[in-house]
């Protein structure tokens, strides 16, 4: 099958790749660009472990084709920290022990970062519904919700 | 969130909450999980699976697949070892079907190709001819006369004569005379219960990367709870020497018992051997549901007698567990856990391990115990309601304690059930008023906990920092606990300890990360290895000072003279001893290799509030409190995490999750959309109380905490639902249709 040539931006880096038209954006990120931070937990858009943003919009990268990334700006978990400085969410997730196995963590961080950019002062219920598309099997979500609420409060104080 | 007992008890590090050492890896996407590895020349594989619940495999034709230029190898059962017996044969038969496909999703062939897409295309071109056979997927039906036989001769000697060949193991235990006990009761309640199979639901599908050369030497990278057992089984299934296969555990994206065996690893290695190239194999989510994991479904009968003052006079239970197409359902453990929380004069429990046309059950967090607790604790709740007794007082009155002869035989050592009940009673949740439409439920739970073979190594670096190697994959933050315990023993900063999960070539054999054993057994081993290092450090200081080793003590990271009689020497810090160790006797490392057997048993009490929508049948858990004995919480945040995670999984099991089989014997809900595990908006905050009744079998008193937290939720939620809806639910999950059914049946008398 002939490959599709795609040019896009990933975490502010310009990238160029060839992909099979059947490959998902997640396949491309992981297998062609070596960015394995986004995970495949289901491949059907149910678990959110592959969450990335495309032109600022939160998507499951397993539900988008690599070929559709042409001209788009994609952000993944690998781009959340600024150099060696963790994003406040990342630091709070560690501080609150908001991860156990850590497989859902990249998707949850991408999703919550997108939430806080939209809504800096979410209620607990808003955080829970926003994250309803990101499955975590280890934590029961308690410490995740606390980490997000605590980050939001800190960011509001700082701004 | 803060436990009342969250204090240091004279410890400097243990009981504090430092950042986990692998935290940055895991929040930046740097951590490498099973599917994140690659190798030069790597092929990708796909597995062909049976679409039938039970069928003879007549012919496998892979010629069309092999004609594809991208395809480099195809394997079937013929590519694995012959002449295996016992559990190795069972595992091989499960990994790759032989003469028959035994369940929907059973692997029958596999293919390796240059790309994932080509491998999937090729798998579709492999033509398998089947002859369908009658199937059975229900535990009670599988025991009935005339039910299709999954495999004749699979039963062991424990099974009494006259039972169906699908009953493959039998367990019976207890003491006293239950009939006498029931005669002494003021009220006897007897009820039957059913629970559906649930999946461990780890978010990371099984994944591995294997390389096996024609020289019999191999490398395997995989997500597993125990890479040593993977090494052992893969070597047996491929007919190679275990030591020639080096297995490295990746970071693991959840296991909960489901990653304690092998599924795809031997297949990747067999393909690699044939193609002579590395092969990566990653399961899809539907493969995970169809062919791995689930826990047993059950059918249970429980009968309990009680006097008016709340004394249990007798308990009897029959537990039938469906274990899929192979022996191994934990019917014995279910039976043994059932009445363990209670000191009973008369008790009897019977367990049946039953085969059916479903995937081979795998361990799931305290295998068997949650179902047993669901049945027993529901009946106790019913008795409390009918006799108008307080559920905590009744449990306190009958609670097992140190010295109690357990329902399954041995006497209990120091245990903390009473302490969890007292803490639950004192918790504000227990006395908080309920809102209209809400109900409250309570349950106790029990798990044995496990020790297991354990080997660790602790190496001192020249700068005085240390590296601990353990062989138990970190499934929930155990590296942090290990670092804390080593820091405590050596008196050096937590940050100066690095814990690594070493591969199979580096350490002696290590049992799997299961049985809530890691913080207990690897922790005990880390402490002993650190003490071994301290001993050697003290010897170096003694030699330098020219005094006896016994006259040297270790304190705050320094060797010091034991007292004024030992001499007047400046304390010698670890870094200084380390710097000169090459000249003072050579490298310093500590070791521990043993099978610790003092895993302390663990008990919990959970309190749940729930409201039931009478119109939709939907249940909402509104408040949840976990009280559990940890023995000693090394890193309290990760202990709380285990409590919360177990409760959340229990909520899913109780209310939503189930394997749904069609009449055709095929699994109908093999995706997360249809097999719905709890999402953030389904759950409340989960409050935790860490009770600490020290385990005499661990230097710091640690008991395992990972599994017990899933034992009480099924019953606690059922009791809350029953309290809210005024009707007893005896089947799990208590999904909206089941609740509506129960309400309707009650309304029509």
């Amino acid at each position: 099958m002939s490959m599709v040539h795609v040019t896009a931006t990933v975490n502010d880096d310009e990238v160029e790749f060839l992909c099979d038209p059947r490959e998902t954006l997640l396949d491309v990120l992981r297998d062609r660009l070596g960015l394995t931070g986004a995970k495949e937990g289901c491949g059907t858009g149910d678990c959110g472990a592959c969450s990335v943003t495309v032109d600022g919009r939160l998507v499951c990268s397993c539900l988008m084709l690599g070929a559709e990334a042409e001209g788009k700006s994609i952000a993944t978990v690998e781009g959340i920290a600024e150099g060696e400085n963790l994003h406040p969410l990342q630091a709070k997730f560690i501080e609150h022990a908001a991860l156990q196995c850590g497989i859902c963590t990249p998707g949850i961080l991408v999703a919550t970062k997108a939430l806080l950019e939209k809504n800096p002062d979410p209620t607990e219920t808003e955080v829970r519904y926003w994250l309803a598309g990101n499955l975590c099997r280890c934590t029961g979500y308690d410490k995740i919700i606390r980490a997000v609420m605590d980050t939001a409060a800190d960011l509001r104080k700082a701004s | 969130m803060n436990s009342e007992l969250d204090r240091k008890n004279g410890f400097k590090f243990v009981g504090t909450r430092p950042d986990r050492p692998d935290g940055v890896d895991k929040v930046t996407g740097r951590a490498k999980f099973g599917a994140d590895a690659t190798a030069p020349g790597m092929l990708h594989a796909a597995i062909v699976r049976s679409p039938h619940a039970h069928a003879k495999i007549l012919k496998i034709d892979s010629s069309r697949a092999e004609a594809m230029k991208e395809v480099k190898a195809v394997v079937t059962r013929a590519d694995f070892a012959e002449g295996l017996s016992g559990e190795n044969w069972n595992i091989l038969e499960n990994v790759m079907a032989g003469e028959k496909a035994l369940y929907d999703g059973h692997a029958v062939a596999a293919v390796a190709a240059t790309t994932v897409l080509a491998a999937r295309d090729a798998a579709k071109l492999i033509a398998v001819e089947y002859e369908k056979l009658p199937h059975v997927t229900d535990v009670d039906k599988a025991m009935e006369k005339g039910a299709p036989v999954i495999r004749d001769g699979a039963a062991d000697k424990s099974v009494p004569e006259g039972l169906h060949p699908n009953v493959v193991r039998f367990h019976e235990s207890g003491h006293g005379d239950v009939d006498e006990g029931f005669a002494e009761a003021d009220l006897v309640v007897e009820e039957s219960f059913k629970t559906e199979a649930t999946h461990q639901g780890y978010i990371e599908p099984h994944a591995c990367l294997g390389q096996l050369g024609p020289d019999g030497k191999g490398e395997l990278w995989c997500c597993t709870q125990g890479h040593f057992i993977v090494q052992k089984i893969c070597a047996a299934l491929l007919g190679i020497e275990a030591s020639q296969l080096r297995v490295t555990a990746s970071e693991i994206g959840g296991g909960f018992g489901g990653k304690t065996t092998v599924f795809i690893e031997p297949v990747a290695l067999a393909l690699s051997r044939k193609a002579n190239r590395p092969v990566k194999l990653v399961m899809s989510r539907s493969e995970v549901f169809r062919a791995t994991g689930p826990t047993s479904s059950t059918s249970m009968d429980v009968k309990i007698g009680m006097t008016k003052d709340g004394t249990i006079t007798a308990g009897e239970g029959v537990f039938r567990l469906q274990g899929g197409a192979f022996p191994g359902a934990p019917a014995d453990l279910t039976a043994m856990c059932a009445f363990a929380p209670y000191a009973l004069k008369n008790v009897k429990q019977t367990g049946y391990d039953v085969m059916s046309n479903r995937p081979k059950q795998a361990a799931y967090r305290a295998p068997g115990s949650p179902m047993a607790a669901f049945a027993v604790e529901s009946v106790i709740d019913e008795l409390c309601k009918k006799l108008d007794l307080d559920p905590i007082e009744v449990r306190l009155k009958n609670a097992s304690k140190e010295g109690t002869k357990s329902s399954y035989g041995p006497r209990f050592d120091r245990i903390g059930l009473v302490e969890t009940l007292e803490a639950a009673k004192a918790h504000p949740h227990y006395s908080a008023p309920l809102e209209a439409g809400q109900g409250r439920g309570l349950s106790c739970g029990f798990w044995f906990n496990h020790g297991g073979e354990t080997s660790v190594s602790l190496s001192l670096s020249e700068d005085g920092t240390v590296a601990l190697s353990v062989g138990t994959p970190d499934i929930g933050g155990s590296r942090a606990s290990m670092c804390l315990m080593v820091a405590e023993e050596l008196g050096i900063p937590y940050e100066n300890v690095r814990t690594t999960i070493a591969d199979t070539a580096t350490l002696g054999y290590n049992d799997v990360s299961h049985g809530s054993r890691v913080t207990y057994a690897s922790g005990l081993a880390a402490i002993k290895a650190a003490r071994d290092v301290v001993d050697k450090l003290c010897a170096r200081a003694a030699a330098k000072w020219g005094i006896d080793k016994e006259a040297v003590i270790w304190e705050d990271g320094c060797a010091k003279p034991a007292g004024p009689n030992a001499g007047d020497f400046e304390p010698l810090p670890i870094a200084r001893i380390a710097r000169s160790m090459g000249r003072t006797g050579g490298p310093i490392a500590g070791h521990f290799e043993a099978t610790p057997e003092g895993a302390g048993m663990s008990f919990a009490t959970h309190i749940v509030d729930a409201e039931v929508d009478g119109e939709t049948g939907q249940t909402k858990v509104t408040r949840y409190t976990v009280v559990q004995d940890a023995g000693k919480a090394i890193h309290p945040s990760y202990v709380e995490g285990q409590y919360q995670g177990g409760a959340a999984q229990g909520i899913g099991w109780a209310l939503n999750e189930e394997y749904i089989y069609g009449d055709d014997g095929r699994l109908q809900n093999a995706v997360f959309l249809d097999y719905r595990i709890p999402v953030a908006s389904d759950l409340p905050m989960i409050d935790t109380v860490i009770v600490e009744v020290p385990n005499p079998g661990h230097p710091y008193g640690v008991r395992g905490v990972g599994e017990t937290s899933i034992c009480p939720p099924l019953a606690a939620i059922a009791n809350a639902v029953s309290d809210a809806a005024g009707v007893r639910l005896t089947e799990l999950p208590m999904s909206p249709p089941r609740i509506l059914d129960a309400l309707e049946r009650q309304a029509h008398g």
Side-chain angles (χ1 to χ4, degrees):
Chain A
M1 198 167 289
S2 64
M3 295 285 202
V4 183
H5 176 258
V6 178
T7 309
T9 305
V10 177
N11 300 329
D12 294 331
D13 290 341
E14 277 184 24
V15 298
E16 208 178 344
F17 55 85
L18 293 172
C19 69
D20 186 294
R22 292 182 292 168
E23 273 174 61
T24 65
L25 174 59
L26 178 62
D27 295 333
V28 165
L29 288 169
R30 292 178 53 84
D31 301 337
R32 299 208 178 264
L33 303 176
L35 293 170
T36 54
K39 309 297 179 190
E40 179 162 323
C42 66
T44 50
D46 298 315
C47 81
C50 65
S51 298
V52 300
T53 60
V54 176
D55 288 345
R57 194 175 157 202
L58 184 63
V59 301
C60 287
S61 59
C62 75
L63 293 184
M64 182 173 153
L65 293 172
E68 292 177 291
E70 175 61 39
K72 303 272 196 252
S73 172
I74 294 146
T76 73
V77 69
E78 286 92 344
I80 292 183
E82 284 181 29
E84 62 181 25
N85 299 319
L86 295 181
H87 185 278
L89 269 169
Q90 293 173 309
K92 285 288 178 196
F93 266 61
I94 297 174
E95 182 193 325
H96 281 264
L99 56 139
Q100 284 176 31
C101 79
I103 194 86
C104 70
T105 310
I108 290 188
L109 286 168
V110 169
T112 47
K113 182 167 176 277
L115 167 66
L116 298 187
E117 279 162 9
K118 257 182 179 340
N119 178 0
D121 190 11
T123 63
E124 182 193 324
T125 305
E126 285 170 336
V127 177
R128 287 186 179 278
Y129 276 88
W130 183 268
L131 287 180
N134 291 83
L135 300 180
C136 169
R137 190 59 157 172
C138 293
T139 65
Y141 305 101
D142 184 301
K143 292 182 189 300
I144 293 173
I145 305 298
R146 287 175 201 276
V148 176
M149 299 296 284
D150 194 19
T151 311
D154 271 12
L155 289 174
R156 286 196 305 275
K157 262 185 253 158
S159 63
Chain B
M1 285 291 286
N2 287 324
S3 138
E4 294 159 66
L5 287 162
D6 184 15
R7 55 192 153 81
K8 293 185 186 173
N9 282 327
F11 288 111
K12 191 170 174 193
F13 298 101
V14 165
T16 63
R17 301 170 184 248
D19 290 352
R20 63 191 287 166
D22 54 332
V24 173
D25 281 351
K26 296 213 165 129
V27 298
T28 54
R30 205 162 68 193
K32 284 180 89 175
F33 289 83
D36 298 341
T38 53
M42 181 176 87
L43 301 174
H44 298 267
I47 292 182
V48 180
R49 296 183 180 277
S50 167
H52 305 298
H54 199 191
K56 252 189 214 158
I57 299 168
L58 301 178
K59 192 179 163 195
I60 301 173
D61 178 3
S62 58
S63 55
R64 285 178 66 209
E66 286 178 88
M68 283 173 64
K69 66 179 188 323
E70 297 95 332
V71 169
K72 303 297 174 189
V74 172
V75 295
T76 61
R77 179 61 172 272
D79 296 284
F80 295 86
E82 285 175 13
L84 300 180
S85 60
E87 191 56 11
N88 278 342
W89 185 88
N90 282 327
I91 294 173
L92 175 56
E93 182 77 3
N94 189 39
V95 160
M96 193 58 72
E99 291 167 8
K100 289 202 296 181
L102 298 168
Y103 56 89
D104 167 41
H106 198 169
V108 296
V111 55
T114 50
T115 69
V116 179
L117 292 170
R120 284 186 204 149
D121 289 344
K124 285 181 201 148
L125 294 177
I126 296 178
V128 186
E129 212 176 297
Y130 297 97
E131 178 192 326
K132 283 214 281 184
L133 299 168
H135 64 270
V136 60
T137 56
D138 176 82
V139 61
D140 290 323
K141 286 184 184 147
M143 292 175 78
E144 280 171 10
K145 210 176 155 200
V149 177
I150 315 304
R151 179 156 59 88
D152 223 347
D156 74 9
K157 286 181 188 143
S158 65
V159 181
E161 272 181 46
L163 291 173
H164 191 286
N166 288 341
V167 180
V168 287
R169 287 188 313 156
F170 176 80
H171 170 92
E172 198 172 41
S173 58
H175 55 252
D177 182 329
V178 288
D179 292 328
E180 234 170 67
F182 289 128
E184 288 166 20
D186 292 313
L187 181 64
V188 175
V189 168
E190 190 173 3
E191 193 66 72
S192 295
F193 298 87
K194 289 196 97 163
T195 66
E196 241 317 330
T198 53
H199 196 277
Q200 294 81 352
Y202 32 82
I203 306 301
E204 180 198 32
H206 298 261
C208 68
L209 171 57
Q211 171 149 33
L212 183 56
D215 55 357
K217 291 182 169 38
E219 299 277 340
L220 179 67
W221 159 274
C222 61
C223 59
T224 175
Q225 287 176 249
H227 40 309
F228 288 86
I229 201 170
V230 169
Q231 178 196 43
K232 189 163 81 173
I233 300 173
C234 285
L237 269 51
L238 291 150
I240 60 170
E241 288 168 16
S243 300
Q244 297 300 339
L245 178 64
R246 186 172 70 110
V247 184
T248 306
S250 70
E251 292 301 326
I252 173 171
F256 316 111
K259 290 177 182 167
T260 55
T261 183
V262 304
F263 298 101
I264 54 172
E265 296 83 355
V267 179
L269 288 168
L271 285 165
S272 171
R273 179 162 62 183
K274 215 162 178 178
N276 200 17
R277 283 169 73 166
V279 172
K280 183 169 175 175
L281 184 38
V282 181
M283 273 191 175
S284 69
R285 177 53 53 184
S286 72
E287 287 182 289
V288 172
F289 277 120
R290 286 169 74 205
T292 74
T295 185
S296 297
S297 60
T298 68
S299 157
M300 308 175 283
D301 309 318
V302 165
K303 182 177 177 182
I304 298 175
M306 197 180 273
T307 58
K308 279 179 192 154
D309 72 345
T311 304
I312 300 176
T313 59
E316 187 175 6
V318 180
F319 305 92
R320 292 167 289 264
L321 272 78
Q322 173 279 124
F326 298 89
D332 47 352
L333 301 179
T334 309
M336 288 159 78
C337 290
F339 294 100
Y342 305 108
L344 304 182
K345 247 170 53 188
N346 307 296
V347 61
K348 185 183 169 191
Q349 52 257 332
T350 313
Y352 298 87
D353 172 2
V354 185
M355 280 166 58
S356 73
N357 294 112
R358 291 199 190 198
K360 186 181 196 303
Q361 67 80 37
Y364 182 17
R365 218 168 186 162
S369 183
M371 303 87 115
F374 167 57
V376 168
E377 297 279 325
S378 291
V379 171
I380 292 178
D381 191 65
E382 198 64 23
L383 284 157
C384 291
K385 279 208 153 61
K386 287 186 167 147
L387 293 169
D388 196 22
L389 297 166
D390 177 82
I392 288 191
E393 294 304 335
V394 164
R395 285 171 173 86
L396 276 170
K397 199 180 186 86
N398 296 284
S400 291
K401 35 180 99 66
E402 185 173 358
T404 297
K405 182 177 165 56
S406 68
S407 54
Y408 58 92
R411 284 194 186 280
F412 284 119
D413 205 327
R414 185 79 179 91
I415 52 171
L417 173 60
V418 168
E419 288 79 355
T420 69
L421 282 161
E422 295 285 4
K425 195 165 106 178
H427 195 281
H429 183 172
Y430 194 59
S431 46
L434 285 166
E435 283 172 33
Q438 292 183 341
R440 179 162 298 152
L442 182 120
S443 173
C444 294
F446 161 76
W447 185 243
F448 307 94
N449 289 338
H450 182 56
E453 293 145 283
T454 309
S455 164
V456 310
S457 165
L458 181 64
S459 313
L460 178 63
S461 300
E462 289 201 336
D463 59 1
T465 62
V466 294
L468 175 72
S469 295
V470 299
T472 40
D474 179 352
I475 51 178
S478 60
R479 285 184 187 89
S481 306
M482 298 301 134
C483 290
L484 281 166
M485 286 185 267
V486 169
E488 190 72 50
E489 288 295 324
L490 295 181
I492 61 174
Y494 167 81
E495 294 74 19
N496 288 9
V497 186
R498 173 153 189 177
T499 300
T500 300
I501 316 303
D503 63 49
T504 54
T506 305
L507 293 171
Y509 188 86
N510 273 276
D511 192 2
V512 179
S513 292
H514 70 159
S516 302
R517 77 178 209 90
V518 174
T519 308
Y520 165 70
S522 287
L524 180 148
I527 291 167
K528 302 268 178 161
R531 288 179 184 175
D532 189 17
V533 165
V534 164
D535 201 50
K536 289 167 181 167
L537 289 165
C538 288
R540 299 291 167 96
K544 182 182 168 81
W545 293 332
I547 62 173
D548 285 348
K549 196 181 85 180
E550 288 66 38
V552 180
I553 56 161
W554 190 260
E555 219 173 63
D556 297 329
C558 298
K560 294 176 183 173
N565 294 340
D568 187 17
F569 304 103
E570 280 294 301
L572 201 52
I574 190 168
R576 280 191 51 202
I577 302 175
R579 202 187 309 150
S580 60
M581 66 186 166
R583 285 174 278 116
T584 60
I588 293 176
H591 289 272
F592 180 84
E593 291 87 19
T595 303
E597 282 172 355
M601 305 206 166
S602 162
F603 290 87
T605 301
H606 290 197
I607 315 168
V608 187
D609 294 352
E611 58 192 26
V612 176
D613 184 326
E615 237 171 273
T616 64
Q618 182 80 27
T619 300
K620 178 106 187 148
V621 174
T622 53
R623 187 169 181 182
Y624 204 110
T625 303
V626 176
V627 186
Q628 186 177 319
D629 176 18
K632 175 71 205 164
I634 302 297
H635 192 307
S637 298
Y638 290 100
V639 172
E640 292 162 1
Q642 290 297 321
Y643 291 6
Q644 292 163 335
Q649 291 184 355
I651 291 170
W653 195 339
L655 296 177
N656 258 328
E657 297 176 33
E658 63 178 315
Y659 264 44
I660 300 171
Y661 279 90
D663 291 339
D664 58 0
R666 300 194 64 187
L667 184 62
Q668 295 186 331
N669 58 333
V671 287
F672 271 139
L673 187 65
D674 301 325
Y675 182 96
R676 192 174 179 283
I677 70 172
V679 304
S681 53
D682 292 337
L683 300 181
M685 289 298 188
I686 296 167
D687 205 359
T688 56
V689 179
I690 300 174
V691 169
E692 294 183 314
V693 176
N695 165 26
H698 183 277
Y700 301 164
V702 167
R703 294 174 198 273
V705 296
E707 291 168 292
T708 306
S709 54
I710 203 173
C711 303
L714 313 188
I717 296 160
N719 293 342
V721 166
S722 151
D723 192 40
V727 56
R728 170 79 42 198
L729 271 293
T730 57
E731 279 188 41
L732 298 187
M734 296 175 282
S735 51
R738 283 218 176 92
I739 291 196
L740 288 179
D741 255 15
L743 289 172
E744 200 163 314
R745 266 186 279 121
Q746 187 196 38
H748 294 90

